[in-house]
Amino acid sequence: VQLQASGGGLVQAGGSLRLSCAASGRTFTSDSVGWFRQTPGKEREFVTSIWWSDGATNYADSVKGRFTISRDNAKNTVYLQMNSLKPEDTAVYYCAAKRRMAVTTGNVDYWGQGTLVTVSS
């Protein structure tokens, strides 16, 4: 199973970016898929997750109201729409998946490679 994350880049504060996480080798069914982020010297932190089966979502308080996670069943892809970006959102963003359980920082079956998001002030 491979998770391919893409969509990172440089954006000014207040701008938007959309990240994508495409899965190959496995079709998501009862998995939860999430996004995490990490900055140098800090632990990887949870951003958001979605249950593939019913679309239920969960967000970190720091991104509520600004970020939206969604899925495309046909493309086996998860998206992270990031609006009203702040400099403190700068990080390497990783997607991850967990079979049949909620995905958390310590509970992951598959990690994607990171994609760098840089928000300038």
Side-chain angles (χ1 to χ4, degrees):
V1 177
Q2 286 191 328
L3 302 180
Q4 182 71 38
S6 61
L10 174 64
V11 64
Q12 289 188 331
S16 299
L17 279 175
R18 189 177 81 155
L19 306 183
S20 300
C21 176
S24 60
R26 175 177 173 81
T27 299
F28 293 136
T29 53
S30 57
D31 310 69
S32 67
V33 183
W35 289 94
F36 300 79
R37 65 187 182 186
Q38 189 170 24
T39 55
K42 293 188 176 181
E43 293 187 354
R44 195 168 297 186
E45 66 174 6
F46 170 82
V47 176
T48 180
S49 63
I50 187 167
W51 281 99
W52 203 264
S53 56
D54 63 3
T57 58
N58 190 28
Y59 294 92
D61 288 342
S62 58
V63 306
K64 280 181 182 177
R66 301 188 298 121
F67 290 12
T68 303
I69 189 170
S70 62
R71 72 199 193 293
D72 184 324
N73 289 8
K75 295 182 178 180
N76 213 31
T77 298
V78 170
Y79 301 99
L80 179 61
Q81 178 66 43
M82 304 185 295
N83 298 330
S84 302
L85 281 161
K86 304 175 182 179
E88 51 263 43
D89 294 318
T90 295
V92 176
Y93 284 72
Y94 299 87
C95 61
K98 178 64 183 174
R99 299 185 303 270
R100 296 184 295 278
M101 294 178 67
V103 63
T104 65
T105 309
N107 201 27
V108 172
D109 288 323
Y110 313 109
W111 282 105
Q113 94 288 0
T115 184
L116 177 63
V117 172
T118 304
V119 184
S120 63
S121 56

